[in-house]
Amino acid sequence: MQKSLKPFPPKDAPGLVGALRSATADLHQAVERLPVMTRLTAAAADLADYRRYLSAMALVYGGLEPGLFAALTAGLSRQWVAALGVRPKYPALCADLEVNGLSVPAKVPMVVVTPADGTPGSLGTALGGLYVLEGATLGGRLIVRQLRRQLGGQLIGASFLDFHGDQAAAAWKGFSGALEGLAMAQFVVSEQSIVGARAVFGQVYRILAEVDMSPCEA
Ligand code: HEM
């Protein structure tokens, strides 16, 4: 990773978000150290590195988002869903793949995140999983800035990495504030969210670790 990227983990936060951050910091760091990510964030990153990453992330989000969003909408009122401000990122990934001349996966196997008590797709678990997929936008914004510096106009189709654009900090504030509100209203048991967040990070790790790093045409 280049020095210009902020170090992870960021400053400790109280509450559920702080608990999720501490409980997943080891997995976040393990993901950051995978070859596909170190290449993406290296000074010498090229289009092939970016395209490898995009294809892998499509498998991550394509597999996870349907189950997580289904649990969210089944378990929460529209007002709470709106307060969280989350929307699926898989369509942005598909658009980026297409712009980059890459094929969209025909069918991504759906992954259901199961909490310790065996209840599939519980709300608390899904919220922990969404914390991971939403939080990725924070690092994503830093990565896309660096890629733009490195690749200039060659970098096309970056709507996933730059999902919230200039609103990234505001979107995170909204999401994490709503998450804390749900915890205070006792909609979420933090242990279940941690299980969900760790399971989702584990899935992210497995998919990114399998990326073929042999040279390919950009
Ligand atoms: C090389 C790759 C990555 C780097 C360098 C990176 C870097 C960062 C940085 C610097 C932050 C803190 C940003 C801030 O506070 O403004 C962050 C937050 C976060 N990232 Fe990553 N990230 C990477 C990949 C990922 C991936 C692949 C995921 C999951 C799919 C992920 C999930 C998260 C989460 C959940 C947070 C929020 C943590 C919190 O504040 O509670 N990151 N990342």
Side-chain angles (χ1 to χ4, degrees):
M1 196 204 325
Q2 276 189 338
K3 281 193 180 132
S4 53
L5 286 187
K6 280 205 252 171
F8 187 89
K11 246 172 69 188
D12 267 352
L16 179 58
V17 173
L20 285 165
R21 180 182 298 162
S22 309
T24 57
D26 59 332
L27 295 172
H28 187 284
Q29 282 167 349
V31 166
E32 273 188 82
R33 289 183 192 127
L34 286 170
V36 63
M37 300 313 277
T38 56
R39 286 272 284 270
L40 184 74
T41 54
D46 60 20
L47 275 183
D49 296 321
Y50 178 56
R51 289 173 178 168
R52 262 194 215 99
Y53 161 82
L54 270 186
S55 299
M57 289 311 257
L59 296 178
V60 171
Y61 281 71
L64 286 162
E65 278 188 342
L68 295 176
F69 277 92
L72 190 71
T73 48
L76 281 184
S77 67
R78 278 195 201 159
Q79 286 85 345
W80 274 117
V81 175
L84 286 163
V86 280
R87 27 188 191 101
K89 300 194 176 93
Y90 185 61
L93 268 166
C94 292
D96 291 346
L97 286 173
E98 278 171 1
V99 171
N100 278 276
L102 301 168
S103 50
V104 171
K107 192 168 171 20
V108 184
M110 189 168 137
V111 177
V112 177
V113 177
T114 312
D117 69 5
T119 326
S122 86
L123 177 63
T125 317
L127 286 165
L130 285 168
Y131 156 83
V132 178
L133 299 191
E134 193 57 27
T137 313
L138 297 174
R141 185 142 172 81
L142 304 177
I143 294 170
V144 79
R145 269 196 216 143
Q146 187 167 296
L147 283 174
R148 284 206 179 103
R149 280 197 296 270
Q150 167 72 10
L151 299 173
Q154 274 188 297
L155 182 72
I156 52 167
S159 59
F160 166 72
L161 270 177
D162 211 4
F163 194 73
H164 294 296
D166 291 342
Q167 296 305 306
W172 181 249
K173 204 173 161 200
F175 174 76
S176 48
L179 208 53
E180 297 301 350
L182 284 164
M184 283 178 63
Q186 300 188 334
F187 278 101
V188 193
V189 178
S190 73
E191 287 75 15
Q192 279 207 349
S193 298
I194 288 171
V195 170
R198 287 193 64 86
V200 164
F201 252 126
Q203 175 70 359
V204 173
Y205 182 91
R206 276 189 292 282
I207 290 180
L208 295 181
E210 276 171 17
V211 174
D212 179 2
M213 296 303 293
S214 50
C216 59
E217 281 184 29

